[in-house]
Amino acid sequence: MTPFSLSRFFNTSVSLRTLSNFKLSHRCFGIKRYASTTAISSENSAPKVDPDDLLRLQRLRNIGISAHIDSGKTTLTERILYYTGRIKAIHEVRGKDGEGAKMDSMELERERGITIQSAATYCNWNWKDHGDYNINIIDTPGHVDFTIEVERALRVLDGAVLVLCGVSGVQSQTITVDRQMRRYNVPRISFINKLDRIGANPFNVIEQIRQKLKITAAAVQIPIGLEDDLKGVVDLIKWKAVYNEGNRGDKVIEKEIPEELIKLATLKKQELIENLADVDDQIAEIFLMEETPTSEQLMDAIRRATIANKFTPVLMGSAYKNTGVQRVLDAACAFLPNPAEVHNIALDINRKEARVDLIPYSKNNFVGLAFKLEEGKYGQLTYIRVYQGALKKGSSITNSRTSKKVKVPRLVRMHSNEMEDVDEVGAGEICAVFGVECSSGDTFTDGSLSYTMTSMFVPDPVISLSITPKAKDSSNFSKALNKFQKEDPTFRVAYDLESKETIISGMGELHLDIYVERMKREYNVDCITGKPQVAFRETITSTAKFDYTHKKQTGGAGQFGKVIGYIEPLKEVTDEDEEPLPMFESRVVGGHIPSNFIPAVEKGFQDGLEKGSLIGHPIKNVRFVLEDGAYHAVDSSELAFRLAALYAFRDAFMKANPVILEPIMNVSVTTPVEFQGTVIANLNKRKGTILDTEVQEDHFVVTAEVSLNNMFGYSSDLRSATQGKGEFTMEYKTHQPVLPYVQEELINEYKKKKLAEKK
């Protein structure tokens, strides 16, 4: 069976697969991955294709391993590398041999047993009866604090393996990862891991995928035994029992299905066909004619539906027990798209940002995206996904953002923290380069094109703390902060002029804790940190008018500027199809304010947003409308109008019923059933809103919305209340107004702080 053909990408007679259209988002630069229903013709888009390049693309997969924390992503990747011959021995996460998993190369990762940075590697897999496939793999973190690593990996990948725990099923970070996959239109296969654990129930997990992730899913395998009795899996498509034998499960043996599983296998295969009939027309036709589809028809249908993001095939096993991993590799080759089947576009800057199709053909002009930066001992390492053309060592490439031309002195493929030098990489590949200064999200071309691609979505930080080096003359302090900011767009650094402190901001306590620890280990800078601060925001709840004149006479030319208008609440846009209103609008007519002073008024408004009048935090969701004003022929200047707008805004802000907004977190707690009452009582004590509770055999999961301000110290409370058996995850959801008495307390605290500073 030929699993797929590239003719539909390069041939005029066959149209591309249809995917959901992704429109421009005001939160990102450029455009998102986009799929068209129109065929790309060979006459106007694709030149004559080199058959060798076609074959290379056909045999290439770019996949990510993503999941909730502690679902077994890194363990699965370790087995994949072993079975593909990339590593000679298997080492476990938190391994007792002191080695640790290959993809957890950072010392902190091995100590804590978690993935902190996404790690890239590549391998070669021989899919039985189909030949060799090249697979680029990115292993991503599962903890919500490092969500940017998942975000930028999925931005450049063509497919993904969603790993789920056979006991816990769909968890909070699973839902986050699902949302990120949908954002970048990434098809996925699902792997239910840890079926050797007590309480594992894969069919319950499949139902959770359907209900919680809202995607059609069905098993393509069923387990042979569960928990301690897990022996292998039944392949429902090939209708064979599959066992892993040998020292590390490296021998895959196919046998007849055990008699006692025939009934269940028949039932689950029928369920697979029924679910496919809902999303694939060809299977629906066969189903309605009451015929049984062949294995080839099922494979083709699963591939079509998976690539169209309508379906996810579910595989099963246990990476730790070396069961079912090779079948995951087979499924990645069979069901996930190659680079030619993913339609990417760029914006042509020279043609008013017109959309341009990118054809993954190595003889086209080069276009690549820098999606991740790392500072190493040899300088900056830049990870690049090549979308079109080829990248060669020694060639010159141009940064579309800065128009700066740079030479590629060294080109490497990454294998975790190891590098393998190469002279050239073709279209569709992932590589890394040294000596190329750029920012994360920059687009590179060969200089003949003026294309730019989308950046990834970057969430705002939710927590801040002050940081001071113990040694006053520590030159490495600022060097470390600059490096970390460049590597991680969610890590922000600011200097507070009032408190004379350096403030670092990030996605959570663990996120900042890791950077403080890295500063100590990598730069020998020991730091003192202050109490974590919540990223409060201020806004208004009603419209307020302003009529303000800024007048100052100091001898000679003075300052004069008058502004009239109003401010109003600006609704936050959540629907990408809805165009947001501009934050600043000028309706001045008749030259009452000369047009060259209008930008100064807008700048004054922006100055006012930086620091609110209630507690000194930034202001959001406010719209400034300038209706009229006046100027003086001699005394008016840009500075005068900038100050007039700033003071006018401050006055109007206090009249518009201002409120303080606090970050609300989506909290998911998993504990043994006997602690259910204690955990819910603790969340209620922290003024949390319980959204959902789910009781399973021996544990329960509670989901709640809780203010971040009330979540400090929760980790210690949960450990003591559950005898160390409970765990929780926390993800930013939105900002909401604080309770009136809390607002009063925060304002009084801010006033006391200001008075103390004056003394």
Side-chain angles (χ1 to χ4, degrees):
M1 179 192 70
T2 303
F4 49 82
S5 168
L6 288 187
S7 64
R8 57 179 163 184
F9 189 84
F10 293 101
N11 204 328
T12 56
S13 62
V14 186
S15 65
L16 278 168
R17 63 186 175 86
T18 304
L19 296 177
S20 302
N21 286 350
F22 263 60
K23 296 194 177 180
L24 266 171
S25 167
H26 64 280
R27 297 171 298 186
C28 295
F29 303 103
I31 66 169
K32 295 185 173 182
R33 181 178 312 200
Y34 175 91
S36 170
T37 57
T38 308
I40 299 179
S41 71
S42 56
E43 292 149 352
N44 58 18
S45 300
K48 190 175 179 181
V49 181
D50 180 358
D52 291 336
D53 205 30
L54 270 179
L55 183 62
R56 180 190 63 82
L57 283 168
Q58 185 179 10
R59 302 282 174 169
L60 178 63
R61 298 289 182 276
N62 295 313
I63 65 170
I65 313 287
S66 302
H68 183 87
I69 188 170
D70 204 29
S71 293
K73 298 177 301 300
T74 305
T75 305
L76 174 65
T77 310
E78 189 80 358
R79 267 64 181 175
I80 287 173
L81 295 178
Y82 178 73
Y83 296 138
T84 55
R86 291 293 285 139
I87 56 176
K88 301 301 179 189
I90 293 174
H91 298 286
E92 305 300 344
V93 177
R94 286 196 181 120
K96 292 180 182 177
D97 57 3
E99 279 283 327
K102 177 68 184 175
M103 300 300 275
D104 284 347
S105 57
M106 194 187 291
E107 188 183 341
L108 270 170
E109 293 179 314
R110 296 183 175 185
E111 281 180 17
R112 298 188 181 221
I114 60 171
T115 302
I116 293 169
Q117 289 186 330
S118 57
T121 187
Y122 71 97
C123 58
N124 180 276
W125 177 242
N126 184 270
W127 180 20
K128 189 178 177 183
D129 300 329
H130 295 86
D132 288 340
Y133 283 75
N134 294 313
I135 305 175
N136 290 311
I137 300 172
I138 299 182
D139 177 32
T140 61
H143 202 288
V144 68
D145 283 23
F146 311 111
T147 191
I148 189 63
E149 294 288 337
V150 186
E151 196 81 38
R152 57 183 164 197
L154 290 175
R155 167 64 188 84
V156 297
L157 292 171
D158 302 324
V161 179
L162 180 63
V163 184
L164 300 107
C165 173
V167 178
S168 303
V170 174
Q171 297 168 272
S172 58
Q173 188 66 4
T174 317
I175 296 169
T176 303
V177 168
D178 170 72
R179 189 164 60 243
Q180 290 169 321
M181 287 178 181
R182 291 175 190 271
R183 181 179 293 138
Y184 300 111
N185 219 24
V186 178
R188 91 286 297 267
I189 59 175
S190 301
F191 176 64
I192 301 178
N193 193 22
K194 300 193 176 185
L195 292 186
D196 58 309
R197 279 186 57 189
I198 295 172
N201 186 341
F203 304 115
N204 184 40
V205 177
I206 292 172
E207 193 55 39
Q208 288 181 20
I209 294 172
R210 293 168 183 159
Q211 297 297 325
K212 294 185 178 181
L213 303 186
K214 309 295 183 195
I215 186 169
T216 306
V220 294
Q221 298 172 345
I222 62 168
I224 302 172
L226 282 173
E227 302 175 357
D228 291 340
D229 296 325
L230 181 67
K231 296 181 179 68
V233 296
V234 172
D235 187 329
L236 299 177
I237 299 172
K238 287 189 173 182
W239 205 245
K240 291 284 183 182
V242 183
Y243 300 91
N244 287 83
E245 296 180 0
N247 184 36
R248 284 289 196 171
D250 48 357
K251 291 180 182 175
V252 180
I253 309 296
E254 290 186 359
K255 298 180 181 178
E256 293 303 313
I257 301 172
E259 192 65 36
E260 66 272 15
L261 288 175
I262 291 286
K263 186 178 178 182
L264 178 63
T266 305
L267 187 71
K268 292 300 174 184
K269 184 169 184 177
Q270 184 62 23
E271 187 179 300
L272 169 64
I273 294 168
E274 288 172 4
N275 277 279
L276 276 173
D278 289 338
V279 294
D280 186 81
D281 292 342
Q282 291 184 31
I283 295 295
E285 192 175 328
I286 294 169
F287 181 71
L288 290 171
M289 293 175 71
E290 297 184 358
E291 296 175 0
T292 302
T294 64
S295 297
E296 287 78 10
Q297 287 172 328
L298 282 175
M299 292 284 283
D300 290 344
I302 292 170
R303 179 174 180 78
R304 284 192 300 271
T306 302
I307 291 177
N309 268 321
K310 295 176 181 177
F311 180 79
T312 177
V314 182
L315 297 96
M316 303 178 185
S318 168
Y320 185 69
K321 294 293 183 182
N322 310 311
T323 303
V325 175
Q326 290 94 331
R327 281 296 196 264
V328 175
L329 284 164
D330 289 347
C333 298
F335 305 136
L336 293 178
N338 63 59
E341 292 174 300
V342 179
H343 185 188
N344 293 290
I345 68 168
L347 298 177
D348 189 341
I349 300 168
N350 290 341
R351 291 196 293 138
K352 298 181 180 179
E353 299 193 348
R355 292 175 175 177
V356 184
D357 298 317
L358 295 178
I359 313 271
Y361 176 47
S362 295
K363 290 191 177 177
N364 279 2
N365 294 320
F366 168 73
V367 179
L369 179 72
F371 66 95
K372 178 177 164 70
L373 310 177
E374 279 182 15
E375 285 288 339
K377 55 185 176 182
Y378 302 112
Q380 180 174 301
L381 180 68
T382 305
Y383 288 75
I384 292 180
R385 162 72 193 263
V386 181
Y387 283 97
Q388 180 177 286
L391 183 59
K392 298 177 183 177
K393 179 182 175 182
S395 64
S396 293
I397 56 176
T398 302
N399 188 324
S400 294
R401 179 177 59 86
T402 62
S403 299
K404 189 177 177 184
K405 196 173 185 179
V406 290
K407 193 174 181 180
V408 180
R410 189 180 176 194
L411 188 61
V412 297
R413 287 186 191 274
M414 297 303 298
H415 180 43
S416 186
N417 61 333
E418 297 173 7
M419 286 160 263
E420 296 173 14
D421 285 274
V422 291
D423 293 325
E424 180 179 350
V425 292
E429 297 277 6
I430 292 173
C431 62
V433 296
F434 274 106
V436 175
E437 282 296 315
C438 65
S439 299
S440 184
D442 280 357
T443 303
F444 286 95
T445 69
D446 59 1
S448 63
L449 303 171
S450 297
Y451 290 177
T452 183
M453 296 190 71
T454 172
S455 177
M456 66 287 296
F457 171 73
V458 180
D460 289 328
V462 296
I463 191 169
S464 306
L465 53 83
S466 61
I467 183 169
T468 312
K470 283 184 179 179
K472 297 283 184 185
D473 58 341
S474 181
S475 59
N476 281 346
F477 179 67
S478 58
K479 187 179 176 183
L481 291 178
N482 288 334
K483 173 198 164 183
F484 296 152
Q485 274 193 103
K486 209 168 186 181
E487 282 183 9
D488 185 351
T490 59
F491 179 76
R492 313 277 173 87
V493 180
Y495 185 72
D496 191 325
L497 292 170
E498 292 182 358
S499 64
K500 305 289 189 290
E501 289 179 322
T502 300
I503 307 295
I504 58 174
S505 305
M507 300 307 295
E509 288 180 89
L510 177 64
H511 188 208
L512 298 181
D513 182 40
I514 291 293
Y515 278 116
V516 172
E517 187 64 29
R518 282 185 64 188
M519 205 176 290
K520 182 180 177 181
R521 296 187 186 205
E522 296 173 24
Y523 290 89
N524 297 316
V525 179
D526 215 350
C527 294
I528 302 165
T529 56
K531 182 187 172 186
Q533 301 166 352
V534 175
F536 289 110
R537 294 290 181 266
E538 299 179 28
T539 192
I540 59 174
T541 57
S542 62
T543 301
K545 294 186 176 182
F546 58 81
D547 184 343
Y548 189 88
T549 304
H550 174 68
K551 192 187 295 184
K552 192 174 183 183
Q553 200 66 41
T554 53
Q559 292 180 12
F560 180 88
K562 182 175 182 178
V563 290
I564 301 170
Y566 65 90
I567 60 172
E568 63 180 357
L570 184 64
K571 189 180 78 169
E572 212 161 356
V573 176
T574 53
D575 184 359
E576 292 183 4
D577 291 336
E578 189 179 342
E579 284 293 324
L581 284 169
M583 290 179 65
F584 175 85
E585 184 182 350
S586 171
R587 297 177 182 170
V588 177
V589 291
H592 291 182
I593 299 177
S595 58
N596 58 309
F597 291 145
I598 300 296
V601 176
E602 184 175 3
K603 191 70 179 77
F605 165 56
Q606 295 293 342
D607 292 342
L609 293 177
E610 289 176 8
K611 191 171 183 180
S613 304
L614 297 179
I615 56 171
H617 280 256
I619 298 168
K620 65 181 287 187
N621 298 341
V622 176
R623 176 169 145 84
F624 186 104
V625 180
L626 179 65
E627 294 182 307
D628 203 356
Y631 77 103
H632 187 276
V634 176
D635 292 348
S636 288
S637 64
E638 288 188 3
L639 176 62
F641 274 101
R642 183 171 174 175
L643 291 173
L646 172 63
Y647 297 137
F649 174 71
R650 285 180 179 172
D651 284 354
F653 181 78
M654 295 307 292
K655 298 173 190 171
N657 298 320
V659 293
I660 298 169
L661 303 174
E662 63 180 345
I664 302 297
M665 312 302 286
N666 201 338
V667 180
S668 178
V669 187
T670 305
T671 69
V673 173
E674 61 264 31
F675 302 112
Q676 181 175 357
T678 311
V679 168
I680 289 177
N682 195 303
L683 289 172
N684 286 329
K685 182 183 170 185
R686 293 171 183 270
K687 300 180 179 64
T689 304
I690 307 297
L691 300 178
D692 184 37
T693 57
E694 184 180 346
V695 180
Q696 297 181 6
E697 287 182 17
D698 58 348
H699 70 280
F700 95 104
V701 181
V702 58
T703 307
E705 287 181 0
V706 193
S707 159
L708 176 60
N709 204 32
N710 295 331
M711 284 301 292
F712 292 123
Y714 184 66
S715 182
S716 303
D717 280 4
L718 184 64
R719 271 198 301 270
S720 59
T722 61
Q723 300 168 14
K725 297 174 185 175
E727 59 181 44
F728 81 101
T729 58
M730 188 168 65
E731 180 190 11
Y732 168 75
K733 186 174 183 183
T734 186
H735 270 79
Q736 288 181 3
V738 300
L739 295 169
Y741 80 91
V742 176
Q743 177 160 321
E744 197 173 328
E745 286 175 3
L746 289 169
I747 292 171
N748 290 335
E749 193 179 314
Y750 179 67
K751 286 178 179 175
K752 285 177 187 175
K753 184 182 171 185
K754 296 287 284 181
L755 282 171
E757 285 171 2
K758 286 179 182 177
K759 293 177 183 177

